[in-house]
Amino acid sequence: MDKVEVKVKKCAKGFDLPVPNNSGEIGEFYIDEYIESLAGKVNVAGSSSSFSENEKFVSLCRATETHFKKQWKEGGGNEQKILERQTKAIIGMADHVNYFKDIIEKYLDENHLLKYPFPKYYKNLTDGIFHEVWGLAGISPWMDMAESSSAKIIGDRIYFMIGGKMVLQMQKISPERFSALKKALLLLTPEISQASSNIEILMHSGERVTIYDSPLTKPGQHIMVFRKYIVEKYTLDEQAKRGTVPFEAIKMLESLAKVGFNILFCGAVRTGKTTMLTIFEMLEDPELEGVMIETNAEIPLHSLMAHSPIMQLIADGDSLGSIAKQLMRSDGDYIICGEARDGNMLGLMVDIANRGTRHCKSTVHLTDVADLPYDIANMIVNDRGGSLSHTIIKVAKSFHYVFEFIQLKDRSKKRLKGIYEIRYDHKNYRISIHQILKYDFKNDNWTFDFSIGEDKDAIARQENHKLFLSFKNELQKLSVKYPMKGEKVAVPFYSK
């Protein structure tokens, strides 16, 4: 192969890197001579061994990228196909990840570079080159951390959630690599503009990515947040092992989940709301027809409940209006909302529940349970109009139980803070909130109160009275064994 003259430029540390020629193309060069030249300059500069190895690794990544870009361009018509492969590889599609890793492995082998040094946060050299050039860059090690629920890029800094805290990592990400990663992630969602300052993307492997960019962020401080569910088993027993719910209450919770009440799961972000909603849904009668609505496809019911007739829809507040009437007339026995973010979604839930629909479930980011009927009604009226006082009553009648979740100081630990029954007195138009389970922060345990409204018995007789009696019996036994102290009933200001 004839040598081609390559123009070079000086980088910040004094290394020569390939740059485009006058035609805009990167010239061909010999990788071994280039890296040997680079290594010599490292020694002359007096840099430490660890630093020189990292710089040589980065240069090898750039050389590998240059080599394959030239090959694909010469192949003619392959560039778009390669771009699609890269996008699918980034979001975690195994076949496409393996495609890149296979060609990198072959390239390294042919050039006797398989033993070349690489940063210790990558699994091997091939893995490192793939992620630096076409993959997730410094975020990739987090993907293999089974117990870490989130990672963040802020500017050039990378953080992983470890032991309940965000820990700064040694690897960095350049503004150029951040932009390339953002661009690649967005290729599968052409309806979202690259210029959008607030973007949410769901990866094939289940991770959710939120991107914040200018003008929402400070100059040079763009943000990318990665979140994943670390729960492998969606069971109450698994949640009890993690300390999220009490072991003693598993039988009570199972019975409550199966009766058919409409339940809200509330709390701040990363408190386990969606996990518990999924567990309760998996305890449902598998023959019932359900409709699940999400703004992002996060809950894999199609695999967790593969034999159940559950329709899964993706819709935000804007698109929900166009399908609301169809949903109201659908054959679904119940509705599930992965995350009710606005008044339109909450209004749809209330409308369906007020028709007498049971087994409905939703998560909300509200945290004050006593004000929950008012806050939900206020969101509905703001988005859809109507009477606030009338909507408050509709909300109180629609949802029967509320589960409140929190994070402890160690952010990796979640707790079920309380279970509340919303009770509506039709005679006196009175709304009251009755707490039946309370978390004790001091002793890290739970107490219970035996209190069940007459309307809940009436609902259970229409759904599953046998399981309701089991729930009632378990709650009574727990209330005797672990009695709740202090205030148990709240009559909110908006109650008539």
Side-chain angles (χ1 to χ4, degrees):
M1 183 184 293
D2 295 332
K3 293 187 179 181
V4 178
E5 181 180 356
V6 179
K7 293 184 179 181
V8 297
K9 67 178 180 180
K10 295 290 182 181
C11 73
K13 296 296 181 180
F15 302 112
D16 293 340
L17 302 174
V19 297
N21 56 32
N22 292 333
S23 65
E25 297 179 355
I26 295 178
E28 185 177 327
F29 61 101
Y30 283 88
I31 182 66
D32 53 348
E33 292 182 8
Y34 173 63
I35 295 176
E36 285 177 9
S37 165
L38 179 61
K41 293 188 178 183
V42 170
N43 292 334
V44 170
S47 300
S48 66
S49 174
S50 61
F51 181 79
S52 67
E53 287 183 354
N54 185 63
E55 286 293 328
K56 286 192 289 183
F57 168 74
V58 171
S59 299
L60 174 58
C61 291
R62 292 174 178 170
T64 304
E65 181 181 18
T66 300
H67 169 76
F68 286 114
K69 278 186 175 179
K70 186 174 185 298
Q71 273 199 345
W72 293 327
K73 187 171 184 179
E74 289 175 349
N78 287 330
E79 289 177 295
Q80 184 59 37
K81 185 176 180 180
I82 295 301
L83 197 59
E84 291 174 4
R85 280 188 180 273
Q86 178 194 354
T87 304
K88 292 175 180 178
I90 284 181
I91 65 169
M93 298 181 74
D95 289 348
H96 300 278
V97 171
N98 292 335
Y99 166 80
F100 283 102
K101 289 189 175 181
D102 286 345
I103 63 172
I104 292 170
E105 186 89 13
K106 182 179 179 182
Y107 175 66
L108 295 175
D109 185 35
E110 290 175 349
N111 288 279
H112 310 288
L113 294 167
L114 288 172
K115 295 185 178 180
Y116 207 77
F118 58 91
K120 63 182 182 180
Y121 46 83
Y122 288 122
K123 291 186 285 190
N124 51 55
L125 180 59
T126 299
D127 179 73
I129 293 174
F130 164 69
H131 282 294
E132 283 290 332
V133 178
W134 294 291
L136 291 168
I139 289 291
S140 62
W142 172 79
M143 300 290 284
D144 297 319
M145 298 174 66
E147 291 300 315
S148 179
S149 61
S150 63
K152 285 185 179 179
I153 298 172
I154 304 176
D156 66 347
R157 309 184 307 280
I158 295 176
Y159 299 83
F160 295 163
M161 177 71 78
I162 300 174
K165 298 179 181 179
M166 275 295 178
V167 179
L168 179 64
Q169 303 300 295
M170 62 182 293
Q171 61 266 36
K172 303 279 187 182
I173 185 166
S174 68
E176 295 76 19
R177 190 66 183 86
F178 181 95
S179 296
L181 179 56
K182 175 183 175 181
K183 183 177 181 179
L185 286 169
L186 283 172
L187 285 176
L188 282 183
T189 54
E191 69 277 7
I192 301 176
S193 169
Q194 293 280 346
S196 297
S197 58
N198 186 3
I199 300 164
E200 284 196 0
I201 299 164
L202 187 71
M203 298 180 65
H204 182 74
S205 45
E207 293 79 12
R208 184 169 67 182
V209 186
T210 306
I211 304 172
Y212 303 97
D213 217 330
S214 178
L216 282 179
T217 57
K218 289 186 176 181
Q221 295 298 304
H222 40 236
I223 298 166
M224 198 174 289
V225 181
F226 294 77
R227 287 186 59 197
K228 68 180 177 219
Y229 293 110
I230 60 175
V231 177
E232 294 184 0
K233 297 178 181 179
Y234 287 95
T235 65
L236 288 169
D237 187 66
E238 177 66 21
Q239 291 302 298
K241 289 177 182 176
R242 292 175 177 271
T244 306
V245 302
F247 273 107
E248 300 86 352
I250 287 178
K251 189 173 180 180
M252 181 197 80
L253 294 173
E254 284 181 345
S255 299
L256 178 58
K258 294 178 179 180
V259 173
F261 294 119
N262 296 338
I263 300 175
L264 286 174
F265 302 89
C266 75
V269 296
R270 291 192 314 201
T271 53
K273 303 183 300 296
T274 303
T275 297
M276 191 58 66
L277 179 147
T278 305
I279 291 170
F280 267 52
E281 176 56 25
M282 291 177 67
L283 290 168
E284 273 290 1
D285 181 348
E287 295 182 355
L288 291 179
E289 297 180 55
V291 178
M292 183 172 75
I293 304 175
E294 297 177 278
T295 51
N296 291 293
E298 295 179 299
I299 305 174
L301 285 187
H302 56 283
S303 57
L304 295 174
M305 299 180 70
H307 301 293
S308 296
I310 300 173
M311 298 189 297
Q312 295 178 258
L313 305 176
I314 308 299
D316 56 21
D318 295 330
S319 60
L320 190 63
S322 62
I323 62 171
K325 289 184 178 179
Q326 290 92 324
L327 288 173
M328 290 288 287
R329 294 194 300 265
S330 71
D331 295 330
D333 293 308
Y334 62 95
I335 188 170
I336 317 157
C337 178
E339 184 178 357
R341 298 184 178 187
D342 57 36
N344 286 320
M345 182 68 79
L346 288 164
L348 176 64
M349 293 282 295
V350 170
D351 287 344
I352 290 176
N354 259 247
R355 297 192 322 172
T357 305
R358 308 302 183 207
H359 305 265
C360 296
K361 306 170 197 67
S362 180
T363 69
V364 290
H365 281 306
L366 301 172
T367 55
D368 191 335
V369 176
D371 287 344
L372 192 142
Y374 175 86
D375 291 336
I376 290 178
N378 194 45
M379 291 172 66
I380 294 171
V381 171
N382 284 341
D383 282 351
R384 301 173 62 178
S387 163
L388 180 60
S389 58
H390 179 63
T391 307
I392 289 172
I393 293 174
K394 287 180 67 176
V395 172
K397 291 164 58 180
S398 296
F399 301 110
H400 309 126
Y401 285 94
V402 180
F403 283 60
E404 182 185 13
F405 290 89
I406 56 167
Q407 288 185 114
L408 299 185
K409 187 176 181 180
D410 178 347
R411 298 304 186 195
S412 65
K413 296 179 180 178
K414 332 285 185 187
R415 293 293 185 268
L416 172 58
K417 182 183 178 184
I419 299 178
Y420 309 80
E421 179 194 330
I422 300 178
R423 203 173 295 177
Y424 178 66
D425 186 337
H426 291 78
K427 295 179 181 179
N428 301 311
Y429 307 105
R430 183 175 180 266
I431 297 170
S432 54
I433 313 295
H434 300 253
Q435 187 165 14
I436 63 172
L437 175 149
K438 181 189 289 186
Y439 175 66
D440 184 339
F441 286 86
K442 182 178 179 181
N443 299 306
D444 191 28
N445 58 20
W446 289 265
T447 57
F448 303 83
D449 183 61
F450 181 63
S451 177
I452 299 176
E454 292 180 2
D455 60 322
K456 304 306 180 291
D457 184 270
I459 292 170
R461 289 184 184 278
Q462 300 174 32
E463 299 296 333
N464 194 322
H465 199 248
K466 181 179 178 181
L467 285 171
F468 174 71
L469 293 177
S470 173
F471 158 64
K472 190 174 179 180
N473 183 54
E474 289 298 315
L475 178 59
Q476 187 172 30
K477 288 192 297 184
L478 291 168
S479 300
V480 172
K481 193 171 183 179
Y482 310 103
M484 186 188 301
K485 297 179 181 179
E487 187 176 344
K488 305 167 187 176
V489 182
V491 178
F493 72 93
Y494 52 82
S495 175
K496 291 185 178 181

